[in-house]
């Protein structure tokens, strides 16, 4: 077994708002030491035929050094609950109710992770009964949460066996950040071995090179990151105002 670094929750230009093509993603993330890309294209505009084309494109973008694993980020009709799905070769449909989607994922033998609970206060709509269909919950999403984990995500894990996940929610280079999923897996990886690794829970989320669990409880690490994130957002707002002026 080897420990391989995966980047989770990535969008390419197959998503309506993604910017980078799959080959560029594979090249740039490979240069940063990632061996696996866990893709999550938006469901909007996908069809069964388009998903098959996309799967073929992921295979074509893969190489001996980087494996591109196809996945879809499904959203409900209100665009509040988002669920990351891998290991399902058929397109499940747009705007499905979350409970129905999760049931379909389970029936198809797929893997599901609740994405960015802090976005649009999705955590308030979380149903604990979904836990039996989920592998984990995204506790740190670079695009939504910034440089610190979400305040509202970790409590959803309490009393469950769900795993904490981290995701860049990559659309552009602005979301590059040292978040990773470490996979205990034979090298070279394949889609089948990556999925088996996730299903068997031989994986762990890291941030800044440390287990993400170290940043979730109250303490100096979390407080320090939140202070840095507050400063980053304040500076960003100031710069935006200056550009307007």
């Amino acid at each position: 077994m080897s420990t391989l670094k995966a980047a989770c929750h990535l969008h390419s230009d197959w998503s309506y708002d993604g910017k980078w093509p799959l080959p560029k993603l594979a090249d740039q993330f490979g240069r940063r030491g990632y061996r696996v890309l866990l893709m999550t294209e938006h469901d909007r505009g996908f069809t069964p035929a388009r998903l098959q084309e996309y799967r073929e494109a992921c295979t074509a973008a893969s190489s001996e050094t980087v494996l591109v694993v196809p996945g879809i980020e499904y959203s409900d009709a209100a665009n509040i609950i988002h669920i990351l799905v891998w290991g399902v070769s058929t397109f499940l449909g747009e705007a499905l109710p979350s409970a129905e989607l999760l049931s379909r994922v389970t029936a198809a033998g797929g893997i599901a992770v609740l994405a960015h609970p802090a976005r649009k206060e999705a955590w308030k709509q979380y149903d604990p009964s979904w836990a039996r269909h989920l592998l984990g919950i995204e506790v740190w999403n670079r695009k939504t949460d910034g440089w610190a984990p979400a305040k509202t995500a970790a409590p959803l894990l309490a009393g469950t066996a769900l795993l904490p996940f981290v995701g860049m929610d990559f659309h552009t280079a602005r979301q590059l950040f040292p978040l990773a999923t470490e996979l205990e897996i034979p090298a070279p990886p394949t889609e089948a071995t990556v999925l088996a690794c996730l299903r068997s829970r031989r994986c762990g989320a890291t941030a800044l090179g440390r287990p993400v669990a170290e940043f979730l409880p109250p303490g100096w690490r979390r407080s320090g990151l939140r202070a840095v994130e507050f400063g980053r957002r304040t500076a960003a707002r100031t710069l935006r105002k200056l550009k307007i002026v």
Side-chain angles (χ1 to χ4, degrees), residues 57-137:
C58 287
T59 298
S62 298
S63 66
E64 293 182 357
T65 55
V66 179
L67 174 70
V68 183
V69 178
I72 297 291
E73 180 176 7
Y74 288 94
S75 54
D76 63 2
N79 193 29
I80 294 176
I81 302 296
H82 287 202
I83 296 172
L84 313 176
V85 175
W86 302 279
V88 179
S89 59
T90 58
F91 183 62
L92 299 176
E94 288 187 47
L96 293 173
S98 299
E100 179 182 346
L101 170 69
L102 287 168
S103 294
R104 291 189 184 188
V105 173
T106 298
I111 295 165
V113 170
L114 179 68
H116 41 55
R119 178 185 171 275
K120 295 187 177 182
E121 297 188 317
W123 63 275
K124 292 183 178 180
Q125 297 190 26
Y126 174 72
D127 186 334
S129 69
W130 298 348
R132 67 180 182 273
H133 299 290
L134 293 168
L135 175 62
I137 294 175

Side-chain angles (χ1 to χ4, degrees), residues 181-219:
T181 300
E182 293 188 346
L183 306 173
E184 294 296 327
I185 189 173
T190 65
E191 181 180 357
T193 59
V194 167
L195 296 175
C197 175
L198 293 172
R199 290 187 181 104
S200 62
R201 304 164 64 88
R202 298 193 314 272
C203 55
T206 67
L208 305 170
R210 305 291 301 172
V212 73
E214 294 183 3
F215 300 96
L216 301 182

Side-chain angles (χ1 to χ4, degrees), residues 151-175:
K151 294 180 181 179
T152 54
L156 301 181
L157 299 172
T160 76
L162 298 176
L163 299 177
F165 270 74
V166 295
M168 290 187 205
D169 204 351
F170 183 91
H171 293 76
T172 72
R174 289 194 299 272
Q175 282 88 50

